[in-house]
Amino acid sequence: MTEIDFLNWVRGPGFQIATIIFVAGVLIRIFEIILLGRKANLAEAKGSEMSSGLRTIVTRSVPQADSFKRSTFTIVTGYIFHIGLFVTIFLYAPHILLIKDIVGISWPALPTPVVDAFAVISIISLLAILIHRFSNKVLHYLTNFEDLLVWFVTIAPLVTGYIAFHRIGFTAPTLLGIHILSVEILMIVFPFTKLMHAFTLFMARWYNGAISGYRGVES
Amino acid sequence: MTNKFDDKNKTLGDTLRSRGISRRSFLKFCAATASMMALPPAMIPKVAHALENAKRPSVIWLSFQECTGCTESLTRSHSATIENLIFDSISLDYHHTLQAASGHAAEAAREAAMEENHGNYILVVDGSIPMDNPGYSTIAGISNYDMLMDTAKGAAAIIAVGTCATYGGIPHAKPNPTGAVSVGDLIKDKPIINVPGCPPIPVVITGVVTHFLTFGTIPELDHIGRPKVFYGQSIHDRCYRRPFYDKGLFAETFDDEGAQKGWCLFKLGCKGPTTYNACATTKWNNGTSFPIEAGHPCIGCSEPDFWDGGGFYKALSMPTENITQTALYTAAGAAAVGVAAGALNRAKKNAATKAHPNTTIEDLEK
């Protein structure tokens, strides 16, 4: 297999396999969760479920003062790498082209050096998160294999993408192929791990808000 | 007119002088060739000396499943360049497009050259070799495979010219109806220099021949058999439009503002980032320009399977298959499976609820 064969495979059948597993995995899990249903609440509703649910989706994005004080490092680095991921995935011109090719919609990109800077910041914050995970005794105790796997498949596309853009070490087709492959691994691992939070997060927040709304209390 | 014997014993220097090439322009050519091959200036006299005194080497050129574009590239330069004079000055003993002889006489010339120069001739091949059925491509009733294997036996080195000979090229593109393979797929016991391109740059072909004449060895090759001096850098890394890529300024169509301003052609499908060739430096038509300079994206023709990269106008970051369709079909299937799984889960939950024994006050008071 030549490096161009490899590149063509990850751009073709490899991407197809990853898409099938990603889409099927995510949808089946979401359907299962929604269809599980809840017992009918026989108590009288004291407020709106919907408005409280929707509000909570937004308000939970802002950390509360006491929890921010308690876990400043986790929250700050968490925010940095999530914003960095968003910028590198959705505001880099070649990625927008990929999305346009699949979904049909596109938007303006950020200048490449800006995206590059965001990628570096994300990589640094993810490394800091790993160091923190091992240096903090409680976090270390709670860490299992899945946590490390999820960390690895998240940082891998960032690192391989950075290397591919700057063309360090190997030849360009190999570097680009490895980058695309790392994304495919992320897509395959996604539905079966806590990475699913990217979708379930909103459902969970809405539900928390909805329970409070029904009871007429602040969420 | 010189007789055949004299002609064979003429050195390259003699031939060039008889063609009216001055010493000055010959040395200029040597200097240019040396710098192109990344040799130190001290090597220029060596190149000149070796070329001047080189006996015309016998070259057998075999054309298999090809379009003759590689030969055209070499011979159709718009003026008589020193490169094609050098090429004229090798003893091209067999080339079925260029030779006057045909039929049995042509094959006799090939056999004679093979016998006379056994172990010393250079074999040049353009075109791929069909392996599904030998009848797909034959010359004088001889299958391409038989002719290649037979002629390769006595060759000092093999130069595979063009992407068909080096990596299978267009005949090898999916679904590869003839079972086309490259020279390197079949021959493992001879040095093979791959000079891919569709077609390859003429000076790259002559550069490889010059290297062989000067040093008597094959140039340093990369991992897929290409001379590093010509294929060591990607089009992207040497592209004059590279600053626009770095800044994120792209032409979106062939006639928009970006295209007029000469911005990067990545979005229009340019394969420059993954293509290794000398186009951006040596350029074409006597250094006039190269495809990207003419406003067209690189199609990646010096790389294996460039024909199967999902389309020339599809950007490198786009998938080669129809992922929209895959995603939609998968989503439809997954929705059905999800609903079925949900129904099963519900049934399980209801069954569990039913099976759960109710505890009454009497039970507790027991």
Side-chain angles (χ1 to χ4, degrees):
Chain A
M1 194 187 216
T2 64
E3 54 190 357
I4 295 285
D5 283 337
F6 168 59
L7 179 62
N8 284 347
W9 189 85
V10 294
R11 287 179 66 207
F15 202 78
Q16 242 170 344
I17 294 166
T19 304
I20 290 169
I21 296 173
F22 176 77
V23 172
V26 167
L27 277 181
I28 291 171
R29 281 196 71 177
I30 289 177
F31 267 97
E32 271 196 300
I33 294 166
I34 293 174
L35 292 176
L36 205 55
R38 307 293 301 187
K39 264 189 186 165
N41 194 340
L42 301 175
E44 197 183 330
K46 289 178 177 164
S48 158
E49 278 187 312
M50 188 52 80
S51 63
S52 175
L54 291 177
R55 194 172 53 245
T56 309
I57 290 179
V58 183
T59 54
R60 289 282 162 98
S61 296
V62 184
Q64 282 183 319
D66 56 337
S67 61
F68 184 76
K69 219 174 173 185
R70 228 181 307 121
S71 347
T72 315
F73 181 85
T74 312
I75 291 171
V76 170
T77 49
Y79 261 88
I80 290 175
F81 99 78
H82 275 91
I83 292 168
L85 271 181
F86 177 84
V87 170
T88 45
I89 296 172
F90 294 109
L91 297 178
Y92 178 49
H95 296 164
I96 297 172
L97 273 185
L98 166 75
I99 295 164
K100 191 185 172 190
D101 189 57
I102 299 171
V103 190
I105 50 168
S106 67
W107 48 84
L110 276 181
T112 318
V114 177
V115 179
D116 196 36
F118 271 96
V120 173
I121 293 166
S122 306
I123 292 169
I124 293 170
S125 60
L126 273 166
L127 287 171
I129 284 167
L130 187 73
I131 293 167
H132 180 240
R133 188 179 263 286
F134 280 105
S135 57
N136 182 309
K137 272 185 188 166
V138 178
L139 272 178
H140 189 181
Y141 176 74
L142 292 172
T143 299
N144 59 21
F145 173 74
E146 190 191 326
D147 296 318
L148 299 177
L149 174 72
V150 163
W151 178 87
F152 177 76
V153 297
T154 307
I155 199 172
L158 282 168
V159 174
T160 57
Y162 180 84
I163 294 174
F165 177 74
H166 293 280
R167 307 156 82 82
I168 303 162
F170 297 95
T171 55
T174 309
L175 291 174
L176 182 60
I178 291 172
H179 172 60
I180 298 173
L181 184 69
S182 73
V183 175
E184 285 161 8
I185 292 170
L186 173 71
M187 288 166 74
I188 289 168
V189 168
F190 195 99
F192 310 106
T193 55
K194 55 173 67 171
L195 287 170
M196 265 301 280
H197 77 271
F199 293 101
T200 53
L201 155 92
F202 300 103
M203 296 156 69
R205 280 186 186 177
W206 183 87
Y207 190 64
N208 275 330
I211 294 171
S212 301
Y214 195 88
R215 290 176 182 161
V217 295
E218 204 184 323
S219 68
Chain B
M1 242 179 97
T2 52
N3 66 36
K4 196 183 168 207
F5 182 78
D6 284 338
D7 203 35
K8 291 255 168 194
N9 280 302
K10 258 177 141 178
T11 63
L12 254 174
D14 295 336
T15 314
L16 290 174
R17 273 190 289 280
S18 72
R19 299 279 176 113
I21 301 295
S22 70
R23 174 100 190 132
R24 184 182 169 79
S25 52
F26 174 67
L27 282 174
K28 264 170 85 180
F29 169 78
C30 294
T33 306
S35 79
M36 209 161 58
M37 296 193 295
L39 298 172
M43 289 302 287
I44 298 169
K46 189 165 183 213
V47 173
H49 184 259
L51 282 183
E52 263 205 311
N53 295 300
K55 289 267 168 20
R56 302 181 62 197
S58 169
V59 172
I60 296 175
W61 185 306
L62 300 178
S63 299
F64 298 142
Q65 294 194 123
E66 46 81 49
C67 68
T68 315
C70 297
T71 302
E72 291 285 333
S73 165
L74 198 59
T75 56
R76 296 275 171 170
S77 314
H78 67 280
S79 61
T81 61
I82 198 153
E83 287 96 323
N84 68 37
L85 283 179
I86 287 265
F87 193 69
D88 284 348
S89 308
I90 57 175
S91 175
L92 190 55
D93 290 328
Y94 180 86
H95 185 308
H96 67 217
T97 308
L98 300 178
Q99 71 193 147
S102 64
H104 292 301
E107 296 315 305
R110 179 173 63 87
E111 279 156 21
M114 283 164 61
E115 206 174 307
E116 239 174 77
N117 307 295
H118 191 85
N120 298 315
Y121 59 85
I122 301 173
L123 173 60
V124 181
V125 182
D126 68 333
S128 63
I129 303 98
M131 297 303 285
D132 272 7
N133 183 332
Y136 284 150
S137 177
T138 64
I139 298 160
I142 306 165
S143 74
N144 287 170
Y145 175 79
D146 288 342
M147 187 176 278
L148 174 66
M149 297 320 262
D150 189 37
T151 316
K153 272 182 208 152
I158 300 171
I159 305 177
V161 169
T163 306
C164 296
T166 49
Y167 310 123
I170 298 165
H172 182 264
K174 283 174 195 161
N176 191 1
T178 62
V181 297
S182 70
V183 175
D185 287 334
L186 297 173
I187 295 169
K188 306 286 181 195
D189 58 347
K190 292 273 175 193
I192 299 174
I193 308 164
N194 283 336
V195 185
C198 192
I201 303 169
V203 294
V204 174
I205 307 177
T206 50
V208 169
V209 175
T210 306
H211 187 286
F212 191 80
L213 293 179
T214 308
F215 300 108
T217 57
I218 61 169
E220 195 188 348
L221 305 175
D222 72 4
H223 61 292
I224 46 176
R226 302 176 291 197
K228 277 187 178 168
V229 281
F230 300 112
Y231 297 89
Q233 283 174 312
S234 72
I235 300 292
H236 186 64
D237 285 337
R238 303 295 297 179
C239 183
Y240 76 104
R241 295 195 190 213
R242 175 68 184 270
F244 296 113
Y245 173 88
D246 291 337
K247 281 184 196 152
L249 296 173
F250 301 98
E252 306 276 342
T253 65
F254 283 102
D255 56 358
D256 68 355
E257 192 200 354
Q260 283 161 19
K261 285 185 173 166
W263 289 353
C264 177
L265 301 169
F266 180 86
K267 286 189 176 182
L268 293 169
C270 188
K271 304 296 181 291
T274 53
T275 305
Y276 288 76
N277 205 341
C279 301
T281 41
T282 62
K283 302 193 178 178
W284 289 80
N285 297 326
N286 286 345
T288 305
S289 71
F290 70 113
I292 292 171
E293 204 169 341
H296 193 279
C298 167
I299 61 171
C301 75
S302 59
E303 295 293 331
D305 298 319
F306 77 97
W307 210 258
D308 292 326
F312 293 159
Y313 302 102
K314 225 169 183 195
L316 266 172
S317 62
M318 290 180 179
T320 58
E321 304 285 340
N322 186 346
I323 297 297
T324 314
Q325 202 183 47
T326 307
L328 284 176
Y329 285 158
T330 310
V337 174
V339 169
L344 276 176
N345 287 341
R346 273 201 121 130
K348 207 169 158 190
K349 200 171 81 172
N350 289 341
T353 313
K354 252 189 194 166
H356 187 74
N358 281 335
T359 311
T360 59
I361 294 173
E362 288 81 40
D363 290 336
L364 293 172
E365 282 177 348
K366 267 179 198 168

